[in-house]
Structure formats: C-alpha cells, structure tokens
Amino acid sequence: MTNDSSRRIVEALQEWIKSAPAGAKLPSTRSLVSRHGASPVTVQKALRALASQGLIESRPGVGTFVRAARIARPADFGWQTAALGAPRNRLSSSPAAMRPASTDAIALNGGYPDRELLPERLIRSALGRAGRHDTALSRSPASGLPELRSWFASELAAVTPAGVAPASAADVIVLPGSQSGLSSIFRALVTDGRPLLIESPSYWGAILAAAQADVRLVPVPTGPAGPDPEEVARAFEETGARAFYVQPNYANPTGSQWTRDTSQQILEVARTYGAFLIEDDWAHDFGITTDPAPVAAHDDSGHVVYIRSLTKSASPALRVAAIIARGPARERIMADRAASSMYVSGVLQTAALDIVTQPGWQTHLRGLRHQLRSRRDLLADSLEKHAPLATLTALPSGGLNLWIRLPDATDLPSFIQRCETNNVLVAGGNEWFPAEPTGPHIRLNYSGPNPGAYPEAARVIGHILGESAIRE
C-alpha cells in the first residue's frame, strides 16, 4: 500500500512540476500528507524519488523547490587532439576475444577457460595462505621471488635433452602476465621501426604489442605443422630482421603444433642469421593428445627468448608469467621491466608458487586434459554435422581453439552480426592476421561456459552459412 501511495504522489507532483516555473516551492510535507492522505514517511519517499530524477532540490531550513532545467552541454575534448597528435597506430581497444557476453549467450569468442576448468580449491587455499605470508607486507625482488623463478626454470629444464645446458633461476624474470612481457621483449630486442617476423595468422595480443612498440611486422605463412623453414630463412634474408615471434605449441588461433623437424630447422635458421626466436608457450598446460615441446629446451646459446604464463591455466585473476632469456638480452628486457613495472605483487607470486607445487596441481592438469578433449570433440563434431560449409582447418592436439575457414564469399562482419543476433558469439579471424587475411575465418573457443550448447551454436552457424550460400 505504501509503494502505491508513494507512486501516486510522485505522479501527481510530476504533473504539477511540468507547469511550475523553475524555482517554484513545493507544498510542505504537512500539506502533502493532508492532500494525499499518506504518512510523512511515504511523502518523504516520493520526494526522494523526484530528487533522484533531478526534478526537485531540497534547501535545508527553507523548503523543496523545482529544480532549474540544465541544458546538457556536450563536453569539448578538442584540445586533446592537438595535445596528443595523430596516433602512430590505430589500435583496437575491444578485440573479439575480450568482449563480455550476456549470461544467455553461447560464447565461443572468449580467450579464457571457464571457471569449471580452473583448480578453484587450490586457488582459494593458496590465496588465503599467501595473505598470511611475509610477502604480503614486503616488496618483491625486481626479477621475481627466487623460489618461483626456480620453478619456471625447472619446468623447462625437465624437458631439456642431454648435452644442452638447462636454464637456471638466474635466467628468469617474473612478469604480471605475458602480455606485458611481449611488449617488453619487442621494445628491448627489436626496437622502433625494425622488422619482426611473425607467423600468419598469429596471436592478436602480439600484433597489438608490436604496434604499440612501433615494430614493423613481417608475416610468414604458417600451417598445421608450422611455417616452412625455407620461407623463414628467406624472410630473414630479405628483411634483415633479427627476431621471429612464434607459437610452436598449440598456436593461437590455429591450434597448430610444430613438428620436431620444423623446430630444429627453424632454430638452426635463427642461429644462422644471428636472430632471436621469441617463443610464446601460452598453452603449455593445455595439451590434449600430445605434450608441449618447447624449442627453448634445445637452445643454450640465448637464441630463444621463452615466455610462459599461468594466467589461463591457473586463474585469470592470477596474472603471473615468466620470461627465460640468457645473456645481454635478459638485461635489456630487465631494464625495460624496471621502467614499466618495478616488480610483481609478492602475494600473487606466493599464491602461484603454492598452486603449482601442490600435488593437486598435476591431478588437475590430468583431468583438464580429458575435459578439453571432450569439449573440443563435441564442438568439432557439432560443426561437421550441422555446419558443413564451415571447414575445420585441422583438429588441434592442444590449446583452446578451433580455427574455421568460411566460404570465400562470406561477408564476415555481417556473418558475425547475424550470429550475435541469434545469441552466438564468435571471434572474427581478421584480428589474427598481421597483414591482409587470406580469407574469411572465425576462431571458436571450446573452453568457455555451457559446452552443452555447442550443437545449438553449430546449428546457428550452419543455418546462417546455408542462407548466405542460397543468396549467392
């Protein structure tokens, strides 16, 4: 009853305010109580509602008045254009992989595993203990906690063959996520305007980091088994580049994994040209039918700069990664890190180390392998059944994504929009090409929420492609 009374008072006063001049005084609370037969509490509630709408204003000790209408004046930020100047690169601030999804959407566009794929109990316990650790009250070493650096080094050393000197903790730099590490590497090792070879397609975040560092990207075509070593050699020869950004294991977006021969040959090419391989091992923990084989494990002469993250496999909130680099390259990267972020939170580092050294971590990874395989196969089978015009380039042996080629005549922006209208979110493939795309592609993430909806998503994709083919 009180809510109805309050609403009637609000509606009556709104009508009165329409014809009242600005600054007109409203009837007193006592008068409104009498007029509407309501309690003082109900009247005050109505006045607060009108005030929240910007229609009235209260002047303590004087009364309540009709608020003067204020004409909204558009903000003028033109001065900033002159102060900032033209941008060197027009960068996208909202890549498809980072777009939020509504709760009822089938989200295949994301880049992070769903919560059910994370070791939640390990994370919560580790963060609780980290809060009681001394690192919660102290500054961490610039290169990271010694124990965590040792763990990263030992992970790579465990797969290093005999005859190759393994990495040590002294070679490791802990980072607040791998994205900032890529930026530091490009600035420190490539520098402004210099060429950087990059697989095409490749990770959109690396393309973004290169653009921010004003690095000139040189695309090198890649396939299910990696790039052609001869093409890589030719690109080094023609451009004078001294670095090549690569994802040898479960590449984003294609899911490709280099063969052992490809890895050895491309490492030899880098040695021949006195160049760096910047190896992004982002999906190290996401092997499904194979195990990751880091190229860095076969190099002890500083040609491979290795970066590995725990953000996706542990938790998006745990932004901890590491670079393993040797020689002067490490010192240059370290100098850049000092300028951009002096150190990484000791609490996060302590929690990360706690998680990965618990026996439950390996148990989690074994279970994750089976979960990813089930999800991958469900999405791939659903597409084969319901969307025959969507071609899976190769079934990945690890990672989180399927790379899908669409028919040549597909209007990609229109296709993406129609999918979204039908509550299916996909990531357009153009963002993963450092130059012009080779055709219309989409990247579908099979680690997101609600895998039971994959068949329905495939039906939507198939229906839209089918309709487009008929119109053609």
Side-chain angles (χ1 to χ4, degrees):
M1 184 66 179
T2 302
N3 287 338
D4 290 339
S5 298
S6 176
R7 184 168 60 252
R8 285 196 297 271
I9 297 171
V10 168
E11 291 172 352
L13 288 175
Q14 285 173 334
E15 287 300 315
W16 182 83
I17 290 169
K18 286 180 181 177
S19 57
K25 187 175 182 179
L26 269 69
S28 67
T29 298
R30 181 179 298 176
S31 174
L32 291 172
V33 165
S34 175
R35 181 183 304 176
H36 294 282
S39 70
V41 172
T42 301
V43 170
Q44 288 299 322
K45 182 177 180 180
L47 294 177
R48 286 197 299 271
L50 292 169
S52 69
Q53 296 169 16
L55 298 178
I56 62 174
E57 57 185 354
S58 178
R59 301 173 192 171
V62 180
T64 305
F65 300 83
V66 176
R67 191 173 186 178
R70 296 182 180 178
I71 301 174
R73 181 171 60 87
D76 181 8
F77 299 118
W79 69 269
Q80 291 191 3
T81 302
L84 293 169
R88 291 186 299 178
N89 300 285
R90 293 192 176 274
L91 307 175
S92 171
S93 59
S94 57
M98 301 297 287
R99 285 207 333 266
S102 61
T103 54
D104 59 340
I106 306 173
L108 302 176
N109 64 310
Y112 290 85
D114 186 44
R115 179 171 171 172
E116 70 172 25
L117 298 177
L118 303 179
E120 183 170 346
R121 184 176 298 178
L122 288 179
I123 294 165
R124 292 189 182 279
S125 298
L127 285 171
R129 287 189 289 270
R132 300 188 295 271
H133 197 275
D134 288 346
T135 53
L137 299 171
S138 59
R139 181 179 67 81
S140 301
S143 57
L145 297 180
E147 300 87 352
L148 184 58
R149 291 164 59 199
S150 293
W151 180 84
F152 276 111
S154 66
E155 284 281 288
L156 187 58
V159 292
T160 299
V164 178
S168 72
D171 302 318
V172 178
I173 303 170
V174 178
L175 313 162
S178 60
Q179 185 64 30
S180 65
L182 291 176
S183 297
S184 285
I185 292 169
F186 294 161
R187 286 192 298 263
L189 305 187
V190 185
T191 69
D192 289 0
R194 294 286 300 163
L196 169 68
L197 306 189
I198 185 170
E199 294 176 277
S200 180
S202 188
Y203 171 45
W204 65 263
I207 296 172
L208 177 66
Q212 290 175 324
D214 201 27
V215 167
R216 179 166 60 87
L217 291 176
V218 179
V220 177
T222 192
D228 183 341
E230 292 185 2
E231 285 293 315
V232 175
R234 182 184 61 79
F236 273 125
E237 183 71 31
E238 292 182 355
T239 65
R242 289 293 181 267
F244 183 18
Y245 170 77
V246 298
Q247 300 174 85
N249 293 288
Y250 321 132
N252 181 2
T254 63
S256 65
Q257 184 176 30
W258 292 10
T259 65
R260 180 177 298 181
D261 285 346
T262 296
S263 295
Q264 291 176 343
Q265 291 178 48
I266 291 180
L267 178 56
E268 190 56 40
V269 169
R271 289 169 175 157
T272 299
Y273 286 91
F276 294 103
L277 291 182
I278 301 167
E279 180 179 8
D280 189 346
D281 198 12
W282 72 278
H284 185 91
D285 297 317
F286 299 137
I288 296 177
T289 56
T290 63
D291 294 318
V295 179
H298 299 269
D299 172 63
D300 56 9
S301 54
H303 284 283
V304 182
V305 175
Y306 178 80
I307 185 166
R308 178 178 172 187
S309 175
L310 296 174
T311 300
K312 285 186 169 66
S313 53
S315 168
L318 201 73
R319 292 198 61 78
V320 174
I323 290 171
I324 297 180
R326 309 192 197 200
R330 182 191 182 280
E331 302 312 311
R332 293 204 182 186
I333 295 168
M334 192 66 226
D336 185 270
R337 296 306 310 156
S340 57
S341 60
M342 291 185 288
Y343 56 89
V344 179
S345 163
V347 172
L348 290 184
Q349 291 188 69
T350 299
L353 180 64
D354 188 329
I355 291 167
V356 298
T357 53
Q358 291 288 335
W361 174 246
Q362 292 302 322
T363 303
H364 163 71
L365 292 182
R366 286 193 293 271
L368 179 62
R369 194 178 189 106
H370 295 295
Q371 289 176 292
L372 290 177
R373 181 170 189 160
S374 175
R375 286 162 162 265
R376 179 201 66 178
D377 293 349
L378 174 60
L379 183 54
D381 292 346
S382 298
L383 290 168
E384 183 178 11
K385 180 178 180 180
H386 301 296
L389 295 178
T391 303
L392 176 62
T393 56
L395 187 68
S397 55
L400 304 177
N401 310 299
L402 299 183
W403 184 237
I404 307 296
R405 174 65 186 261
L406 304 182
D408 288 342
T410 303
D411 181 337
L412 190 59
S414 174
F415 170 82
I416 294 170
Q417 182 57 55
R418 292 189 65 195
C419 284
E420 188 165 344
T421 300
N422 286 274
N423 242 15
V424 176
L425 302 184
V426 302
N430 290 1
E431 293 177 355
W432 280 270
F433 286 93
E436 292 79 9
T438 57
H441 293 80
I442 54 174
R443 193 202 71 169
L444 305 180
N445 183 292
Y446 50 77
S447 71
N450 194 14
Y454 290 173
E456 175 59 23
R459 278 190 284 270
V460 169
I461 291 171
H463 178 71
I464 294 172
L465 290 177
E467 282 191 339
S468 299
I470 291 172
R471 285 197 298 269
E472 290 298 324

